Amino acid sequence: MTERPMSPQKLAAQLLESYEAGSSFFFATPKRTMLARGTFATVPHIGGADALQRLPERVAAVLNNAREAAHDIPVAVGAVPFDGSIPAQMVVPMTLQRAGPLVFDTDVPVHQPLAARYTVQPVPEPAAYLDGVTQALKLMQTGSLRKVVLSRSLHLSATTPIDLPQLLRNLAQRNPSGYTFAVDLPPGATQAAGGLRRTLIGASPELLVSRSGLQVLANPLAGSAARSANPIEDQERAATLLKSSKDLHEHAVVIEAVVEAMRPYCKKLDVPSGPSLVSTQTMWHLSSRICGELADPSITSLALAVALHPTPAVCGYPTELAHEAITTIEPFQRGFYTGTVGWCDASGDGQWAVTIRCAEADERTLRLFAGAGIVVGSKPESELAETEAKFRTMLQAMGLGQNAEVQS
């Protein structure tokens, strides 16, 4: 009797269930699920101010070497940091499985608690974050800075080991229209690593860029509002966001920069006249889908990602001034937060998501991140509230605020 092939939905679910922290790369999108295991080759780090700009050529060289060695998985997977202060983490895996999108039974509840108790340390403290926003607004009044994204971190320590595979499943089930990921990070990847192997894990709502043949797509998000459990109020918040002059301005700054970065690579570029609304379980966002056709087929998805990164949605504008403000105001190193995570194959195709709604984790600790875009007209208390709302993607997947206890 011939055995029936597994359905794409069952295979995708099996890939999610097969994820193991420390030995896998997992990446799920609204259309595709990917699980990579092992390391055939690691993309070497080359220091210098242009380390990120030279990353695509290093990845291409490693993929070429893999093909010459008759390795049949010519795909590089991994994560790119916010800036060049730490190396990118890119590998060619030993094995790679792909399937269609994850499909969940909506009647099956999400498993909640991952640990009985956590201690929580906000960095910076809320009052210090408010001061940072005020400082950023003063910079805009006295100089050329138009936007800066200021972020916060929550350091959580658990009383028992954290079940990262279950956290990944919770994130995937709660964010089916997003980009759910888990990436192994090397020991010492950030100052907070303490020599332990860490995992970058999260569920991003934002596609940085994808390439399929000559077709490219970027989907920047900028301008946000927290969701409400009350359906009427929730729709009112969405409508208010779509009319908010402050948020529309913030979105326009991002779109202007993304189009400017993509145009040199595209012979055709389709830019919507205005943003639309997209939502996650916790947030409303202003969204613009920018589609293009490459002029040069040798331009890879990673080369496009590096050209776009960091967008004003995660850094600010102008980029140099915003980065300088971030370095001055934020009291921690971002590491891979607000970088990009994804894959690129030897043909140049690939997909890269913005590394937000995420955490860096080891056995018993997680470092969560959330940020807000500051422009003229921003109010410090509103920006603080936005970061609190954005933390909910990770916190709800961990069961915090519902079945788990938190100690501050």
Side-chain angles (χ1 to χ4, degrees):
M1 184 175 177
T2 304
E3 188 173 325
R4 245 186 214 180
M6 187 178 296
S7 71
Q9 291 84 3
K10 286 187 177 180
L11 179 55
Q14 185 181 80
L15 297 186
L16 179 59
E17 290 295 326
S18 299
Y19 167 76
E20 296 179 0
S23 62
S24 305
F25 167 89
F26 182 87
F27 190 62
T29 78
K31 295 183 178 180
R32 181 195 302 259
T33 306
M34 174 184 291
L35 178 67
R37 293 187 179 96
T39 301
F40 177 80
T42 300
V43 176
H45 175 62
I46 299 176
D50 62 345
L52 290 184
Q53 284 67 37
R54 297 174 61 189
L55 180 62
E57 68 182 55
R58 302 201 310 272
V59 168
V62 171
L63 287 173
N64 186 57
N65 292 340
R67 284 195 297 184
E68 290 180 353
H71 184 57
D72 59 358
I73 312 292
V75 178
V77 302
V80 176
F82 171 62
D83 58 31
S85 59
I86 61 173
Q89 176 65 9
M90 297 288 298
V91 304
V92 177
M94 290 296 296
T95 66
L96 178 68
Q97 293 174 276
R98 305 185 205 227
L102 289 163
V103 178
F104 295 96
D105 185 345
T106 55
D107 294 330
V108 176
V110 178
H111 178 78
Q112 290 293 344
L114 300 177
R117 300 175 74 86
Y118 294 86
T119 57
V120 182
Q121 178 188 1
V123 179
E125 294 286 346
Y129 183 79
L130 294 174
D131 289 342
V133 175
T134 300
Q135 186 177 345
L137 290 171
K138 289 180 180 178
L139 290 174
M140 293 175 195
Q141 293 170 358
T142 58
S144 301
L145 183 64
R146 293 176 59 190
K147 175 182 177 179
V148 62
V149 179
L150 293 182
S151 60
R152 302 172 56 212
S153 177
L154 293 180
H155 295 193
L156 281 73
S157 299
T159 57
T160 57
I162 299 164
D163 187 345
L164 287 181
Q166 184 60 58
L167 176 57
L168 184 68
R169 290 191 287 272
N170 289 357
L171 285 165
Q173 187 170 351
R174 287 180 171 276
N175 301 275
S177 61
Y179 300 81
T180 305
F181 56 88
V183 185
D184 294 339
L185 299 180
T190 69
Q191 293 175 349
L196 298 173
R197 175 166 288 281
R198 297 179 67 81
T199 300
L200 179 68
I201 187 168
S204 174
E206 185 169 1
L207 173 69
L208 178 63
V209 69
S210 66
R211 194 201 98 155
S212 179
L214 294 178
Q215 303 305 307
V216 296
L217 170 66
N219 188 194
L221 308 181
S224 306
R227 300 288 303 271
S228 171
N230 182 302
I232 296 176
E233 183 180 351
D234 191 49
Q235 290 302 312
E236 289 176 350
R237 291 184 183 185
T240 299
L241 175 63
L242 199 53
K243 296 183 293 185
S244 165
S245 57
K246 177 261 181 188
D247 289 285
L248 289 170
H249 168 62
E250 180 183 344
H251 191 82
V253 169
V254 174
I255 300 308
E256 178 184 327
V258 169
V259 170
E260 182 181 349
M262 291 182 70
R263 197 174 294 283
Y265 300 97
C266 296
K267 59 183 179 182
K268 294 181 182 178
L269 205 57
D270 181 18
V271 184
S273 58
S276 57
L277 285 168
V278 298
S279 65
T280 68
Q281 280 201 341
T282 60
M283 301 294 297
W284 286 103
H285 296 287
L286 296 179
S287 163
S288 289
R289 291 173 61 87
I290 301 171
C291 304
E293 183 178 345
L294 286 177
D296 182 353
S298 70
I299 301 300
T300 68
S301 63
L302 181 57
L304 291 168
V306 168
L308 287 167
H309 172 69
T311 74
V314 296
C315 180
Y317 191 81
T319 303
E320 295 78 9
L321 292 177
H323 190 279
E324 182 181 339
I326 288 167
T327 302
T328 301
I329 297 172
E330 289 184 359
F332 57 85
Q333 186 188 55
R334 288 190 179 187
F336 287 89
Y337 167 63
T338 61
T340 185
V341 56
W343 61 277
C344 181
D345 66 19
S347 72
D349 286 352
Q351 200 164 31
W352 297 89
V354 182
T355 314
I356 52 178
R357 312 296 188 274
C358 65
E360 289 187 14
D362 60 30
E363 184 180 4
R364 291 175 184 258
T365 70
L366 296 104
R367 192 164 68 124
L368 280 61
F369 303 92
I374 316 303
V375 295
V376 172
S378 291
K379 297 179 180 179
E381 294 78 8
S382 298
E383 306 304 332
L384 177 65
E386 182 173 321
T387 63
E388 294 285 357
K390 289 175 177 176
F391 278 132
R392 290 179 199 154
T393 297
M394 291 298 301
L395 293 174
Q396 288 181 1
M398 295 164 62
L400 292 181
Q402 296 179 39
N403 296 331
E405 296 183 43
V406 181
Q407 291 180 318
S408 298

